[in-house]
Amino acid sequence: MSAMSNSNWSRRSLFRAAAGMAAAGTLAACGSNNGRGGGSGSGKNLVQYFHAYGEAGTEQAIKRYAKAYKDASVTTQWITGSNFESKLFASLLTDQAPDLFEFHPQLQLVKSGQVADLTDLIEPVKSDFNQADITSHTVDGKIYGVRMIDDPQFFFYRKSLLDKAGIQAPTTLDELIEAAAKLTTSKVKGLFLGNDLHAVINPLIWSAGADTLDAKNEIAYHTDGVVEGLKKMRKLFTSGHLLLDAPADYWDPSALNQGLCAIQFCGMWAMPQFQQTLGDDLGIMPFPKVTDAGKPSVYNGGWSMFVNAKGKNVDAAKEYVKWLWIDQKKYQEDWATSYGFHIPPRTSIAQSATKLKSGLPAEGVKLFDEYGHFDNIGWTQAMITATENVFADCVRKGGDPEAALDTCDRTVGAELKKLFG
Amino acid sequence: MSTTTTRGLASPAPAKVTKTRPRRGPRGTRTFNFWLFTSPFLIGLIVFVYIPIGWSVYLSFFEARFTVTPSDFVGLDNYRQMLTDSNFTGSLGTFTAFAAFIVPTTWAVSLGLALLVNRLRFMRAFYRSVFFLPTACSYVAASLIWKMSIFNGVRFGLANTVIGWFGVDNVAWLANPDPPWYWLVILTARLWLQSGFYMILFLAALQNIPRELYEAAAIDGAKPGWQTFRHITLPQLRATSTAVILLLLVAAYQAFDEFFNLLSKTTWGRPPLVELYYTALGQNQNYGAGSAGAVILTLLICVVTLFQGRIMGFGRGDQSQ
């Protein structure tokens, strides 16, 4: 007799077992382990989204801070891959949207009511923040988002290779192009700007003496200087002295560390990894001026924490943001300086951060102070994409810069009209 | 005297009559069963296909940025925007070039593989498996291998290592549209991934061709090889070829993964789905314009499918009967 025909396994008993399992499942769903945290928190469950940082230990650090918070259970979704923005924006339209998330200041997020006003959290400590960060998060007098870190981006270079080629750190774009040529050998390319060149778009605009938008929120990038810069970038792109198609992109220090290039555009976050590999054979410089009317520039990227205004736990999320990114200075310093190097947006923390006070990190802070350009909240994703298309069309594809900028103007103009009327 | 007897013959067993509840008639049961089995799929079709299509058409007439419940009616503005967007119209050109190459090439490669494998006498199962296995690999995984190991632009990429042996300088396979080496990367990835699957279809069709046909052709003087292939094998594979070409064309329309993963934010080499992704689901989140593009693309697919059906003679057989 087969086991299946045993009376113990009658149809009725099977139905009973299935019903029992269904009931148990239902009860389990009522418990705390529903994928949105549970455990240490006594009340609310919060979900926060972070993109995957490249520096080792960052994910553990964010989760450690969250675990230390006692007033809510905070679950971290650490989103790997290059499409953090897509996942974030898509999820913000659903019931599974995060309660808080990191991103860059974007007017579109404010206009569409997706981010909560955090003025009341920041106002008491407003004077302790880098004022440029406060400005870049302010719309109509209200502050949306708390800056967590400032990330200056500039060139890192091997001093020994420049010495060997008999050249100084370039101060103009023409000198940079010449340097790339002199530094290129059969095994090492002179320069790496990232695989799609997008990281140097804004620096090129600023170094040409222009800006993305002016104070009246009108187009400020379409200038003769920028056109000249685009032509020079095309010359560089086709010179054979630019590292293209590297396995890792500009944000990863491996191109310079593995000897694939002599100069690499990257962020200060990677400075510890560069120093670990190259020791003292490392120098930094800003993006050089494009024209005589221009000025060297440093892009101050970085990440800010926002609260989902359409979330179910807005108040609890704001309390968490205040606890971690306003009150917990120890965690803020740890986050800024223990993994990669970032500049803390809080002046008091930046001044006391010993790791940033000497050597190359101090030079980075100096470049940040002297040449830094911060995010413009009115410069939205659609505008960013439009300028990326300019680079794709005329620098990488060889199109006419004027025509590419005209196309960009139409997109940005339509966007500005929608945002500002 | 003749007698009849039933002795020894089994009498038919009386029908077992049991009292049961009156049952619904066969037609009612059939209708119930029909709805029981089709309703889950029907509900799925309505919820996951028809409603989204309808919603997409609705969104295409609205300014729907960062929202799927818009209120700002813009008429045909989104359609105008997409039809004058060189990136979108360019993506249709990209698809045409891609389909024009990949459909006949995959057809020829998979048929060639099937013919080779079909003739094998030894290790037939091994070779079938070898060619079929890439089908099990995801497009994303294959794209990353192609991009990071085989066709990266630095000196230790496999392709650059090989051409380096002949003194050729490193090639940036994916970063530079001129010359368009990125097509080589994309096409080889797709050929590797899908040829094995279509090879199996052709293999099945080859084994269904009656051997008598070849024997008859041989008796009639047909030479083995090209003559037999052209006059016997190829005509016998017509139905399978038609299906394969149709499937390949559908797959070409759906091309996304390898383009998205191999070409990072270029304005070239974007098929329509990648372009629509960047418009609607990427950083721009413009659901109105993205939906308008999707509607345009759907209409185009319908026209092309009808045109293809007419060329390949779908339904002609029914009419002749």
Side-chain angles (χ1 to χ4, degrees):
Chain A
M1 184 183 276
S2 74
M4 287 305 287
S5 64
N6 190 302
S7 61
N8 290 334
W9 288 98
S10 67
R11 275 188 299 173
R12 191 166 293 176
S13 64
L14 274 173
F15 278 127
R16 268 202 298 267
M21 285 173 73
T26 309
L27 287 170
C30 298
S32 59
N33 188 14
N34 56 7
R36 288 175 68 88
S40 66
S42 57
K44 299 281 185 187
N45 292 322
L46 298 173
V47 175
Q48 59 177 350
Y49 275 18
F50 271 78
H51 84 287
Y53 286 70
E55 304 92 287
T58 45
E59 183 180 2
Q60 292 76 8
I62 282 295
K63 288 180 176 172
R64 193 172 65 246
Y65 309 151
K67 201 174 177 185
Y69 186 59
K70 299 300 175 195
D71 292 339
S73 175
V74 184
T75 304
T76 304
Q77 287 209 13
W78 194 257
I79 297 169
T80 55
S82 57
N83 52 345
F84 170 74
E85 291 91 343
S86 312
K87 286 180 184 171
L88 171 66
F89 291 145
S91 71
L92 283 175
L93 298 173
T94 70
D95 288 341
Q96 298 302 311
D99 298 295
L100 53 158
F101 57 88
E102 64 163 4
F103 202 60
H104 317 289
Q106 293 265 304
L107 187 58
Q108 186 68 54
L109 289 171
V110 178
K111 290 265 181 184
S112 57
Q114 282 180 321
V115 290
D117 174 11
L118 304 182
T119 313
D120 55 330
L121 307 186
I122 301 168
E123 196 64 50
V125 290
K126 190 176 166 183
S127 60
D128 190 36
F129 269 91
N130 184 319
Q131 290 310 297
D133 276 328
I134 294 292
T135 305
S136 68
H137 291 70
T138 304
V139 178
D140 297 333
K142 292 178 181 172
I143 306 168
Y144 297 85
V146 184
R147 196 63 154 182
M148 299 183 295
I149 40 173
D150 280 320
D151 285 333
Q153 296 170 31
F154 32 63
F155 285 106
F156 291 80
Y157 60 88
R158 298 274 301 274
K159 286 179 181 174
S160 60
L161 294 178
L162 266 67
D163 289 344
K164 196 176 165 189
I167 51 176
Q168 299 290 315
T171 56
T172 66
L173 188 53
D174 288 325
E175 285 177 16
L176 183 69
I177 295 169
E178 284 170 30
K182 286 179 181 171
L183 292 164
T184 298
T185 67
S186 60
K187 290 192 173 177
V188 180
K189 292 285 185 185
L191 185 62
F192 182 48
L193 301 174
N195 286 331
D196 52 23
L197 314 183
H198 292 170
V200 297
I201 294 174
N202 281 11
L204 179 91
I205 292 170
W206 293 318
S207 287
D211 204 344
T212 50
L213 299 174
D214 62 17
K216 293 178 188 170
N217 284 316
E218 290 172 352
I219 289 170
Y221 57 79
H222 195 155
T223 65
D224 290 343
V226 171
V227 171
E228 199 178 328
L230 290 169
K231 287 177 180 168
K232 288 177 181 176
M233 290 299 290
R234 173 66 184 169
K235 185 181 161 193
L236 178 62
F237 186 78
T238 54
S239 67
H241 308 134
L242 198 60
L243 176 63
L244 300 169
D245 239 356
D249 217 330
Y250 85 99
W251 46 263
D252 188 289
S254 60
L256 190 67
N257 280 350
Q258 291 177 356
L260 296 173
C261 63
I263 305 175
Q264 177 182 348
F265 192 80
C266 195
M268 196 162 133
W269 59 79
M271 196 179 272
Q273 289 167 279
F274 280 127
Q275 288 179 311
Q276 194 178 2
T277 306
L278 304 172
D280 293 334
D281 186 17
L282 187 67
I284 54 173
M285 62 180 184
F287 194 95
K289 63 180 181 180
V290 172
T291 59
D292 291 338
K295 189 185 170 189
S297 68
V298 167
Y299 174 47
N300 287 332
W303 292 89
S304 312
M305 185 50 70
F306 296 92
V307 169
N308 176 10
K310 294 176 182 173
K312 293 168 188 162
N313 305 303
V314 175
D315 290 336
K318 283 176 72 173
E319 281 170 26
Y320 177 67
V321 169
K322 180 181 181 300
W323 175 81
L324 180 54
W325 300 112
I326 303 285
D327 298 339
Q328 301 299 315
K329 285 189 166 187
K330 191 179 160 191
Y331 288 149
Q332 290 160 37
E333 182 172 350
D334 178 67
W335 181 239
T337 61
S338 295
Y339 309 97
F341 283 160
H342 312 263
I343 297 178
R346 297 286 292 273
T347 312
S348 56
I349 301 173
Q351 285 173 348
S352 66
T354 50
K355 288 180 181 174
L356 304 178
K357 281 188 173 172
S358 60
L360 209 59
E363 273 187 59
V365 174
K366 194 179 164 199
L367 292 181
F368 169 85
D369 291 336
E370 202 167 343
Y371 301 116
H373 289 265
F374 288 71
D375 283 319
N376 182 335
I377 196 165
W379 191 243
T380 63
Q381 286 297 143
M383 299 180 197
I384 292 168
T385 305
T387 49
E388 288 173 354
N389 287 349
V390 170
F391 257 60
D393 284 341
C394 66
V395 176
R396 299 164 74 192
K397 209 174 172 184
D400 175 31
E402 277 290 357
L405 284 171
D406 285 343
T407 306
C408 183
D409 290 349
R410 283 194 288 278
T411 307
V412 174
E415 187 76 2
L416 288 171
K417 196 176 174 188
K418 281 174 190 168
L419 289 172
F420 301 109
Chain B
M1 185 173 85
S2 68
T3 58
T4 58
T5 176
T6 58
R7 189 182 296 170
L9 288 176
S11 58
K16 189 179 179 183
V17 179
T18 53
K19 282 187 179 178
T20 56
R21 279 176 292 178
R23 299 171 66 177
R24 282 181 293 174
R27 183 173 294 177
T29 308
R30 254 184 241 154
T31 307
F32 174 76
N33 288 342
F34 170 80
W35 286 113
L36 179 69
F37 285 101
T38 56
S39 56
F41 301 101
L42 201 61
I43 290 166
L45 195 68
I46 290 167
V47 171
F48 295 111
V49 177
Y50 293 131
I51 290 177
I53 288 174
W55 199 255
S56 182
V57 173
Y58 171 78
L59 286 175
S60 70
F61 296 108
F62 285 83
E63 168 66 27
R65 287 160 53 81
F66 288 87
T67 179
V68 287
T69 52
S71 56
D72 186 8
F73 182 78
V74 293
L76 294 172
D77 273 5
N78 288 322
Y79 288 92
R80 202 172 296 122
Q81 181 190 328
M82 293 307 284
L83 288 170
T84 54
D85 182 350
S86 59
N87 288 341
F88 180 69
T89 50
S91 74
L92 298 173
T94 301
F95 159 74
T96 308
F98 174 64
F101 185 86
I102 200 70
V103 172
T105 309
T106 312
W107 176 86
V109 169
S110 49
L111 178 57
L113 285 175
L115 290 167
L116 286 173
V117 171
N118 194 39
R119 288 187 176 191
L120 283 174
R121 293 184 181 177
F122 303 103
M123 299 178 74
R124 182 186 282 194
F126 171 76
Y127 282 106
R128 279 182 196 177
S129 305
V130 163
F131 291 127
F132 183 72
L133 271 177
T135 307
C137 181
S138 89
Y139 275 59
V140 177
S143 301
L144 291 178
I145 293 167
W146 252 243
K147 183 180 186 173
M148 300 180 82
S149 298
I150 304 174
F151 289 106
N152 74 46
V154 296
R155 62 178 183 272
F156 45 76
L158 180 63
N160 278 341
T161 304
V162 171
I163 63 172
W165 294 338
F166 302 97
V168 180
D169 200 11
N170 291 342
V171 173
W173 301 97
L174 293 164
N176 201 339
D178 185 27
W181 287 117
Y182 64 90
W183 275 122
L184 177 74
V185 185
I186 287 169
L187 295 171
T188 51
R190 180 160 274 236
L191 270 176
W192 182 76
L193 280 161
Q194 66 178 11
S195 293
F197 174 74
Y198 296 103
M199 176 199 77
I200 294 292
L201 298 189
F202 276 122
L203 206 55
L206 282 172
Q207 288 168 359
N208 273 339
I209 299 174
R211 190 147 293 279
E212 294 81 7
L213 277 177
Y214 290 104
E215 289 166 1
I219 292 165
D220 289 345
K223 293 174 189 166
W226 170 246
Q227 209 171 26
T228 309
F229 173 74
R230 188 183 161 198
H231 295 290
I232 305 291
T233 310
L234 211 52
Q236 288 294 312
L237 293 177
R238 187 171 179 274
T240 307
S241 286
T242 306
V244 165
I245 288 169
L246 191 68
L247 289 171
L248 283 169
L249 203 61
V250 171
Y253 265 118
Q254 293 175 337
F256 179 86
D257 294 1
E258 71 271 48
F259 285 89
F260 182 76
N261 287 291
L262 289 170
L263 296 175
S264 168
K265 293 184 177 177
T266 58
T267 51
W268 61 86
R270 280 189 193 174
L273 287 191
V274 174
E275 185 59 39
L276 292 179
Y277 171 83
Y278 281 124
T279 305
L281 294 169
Q283 294 168 351
N284 292 333
Q285 298 287 302
N286 191 339
Y287 296 103
S291 297
V295 171
I296 295 167
L297 188 64
T298 306
L299 290 174
L300 268 175
I301 291 172
C302 288
V303 170
V304 170
T305 308
L306 289 172
F307 184 65
Q308 190 202 6
R310 185 163 279 270
I311 286 178
M312 301 194 81
F314 288 147
R316 246 181 239 163
D318 297 339
Q319 283 166 11
S320 65
Q321 285 169 6

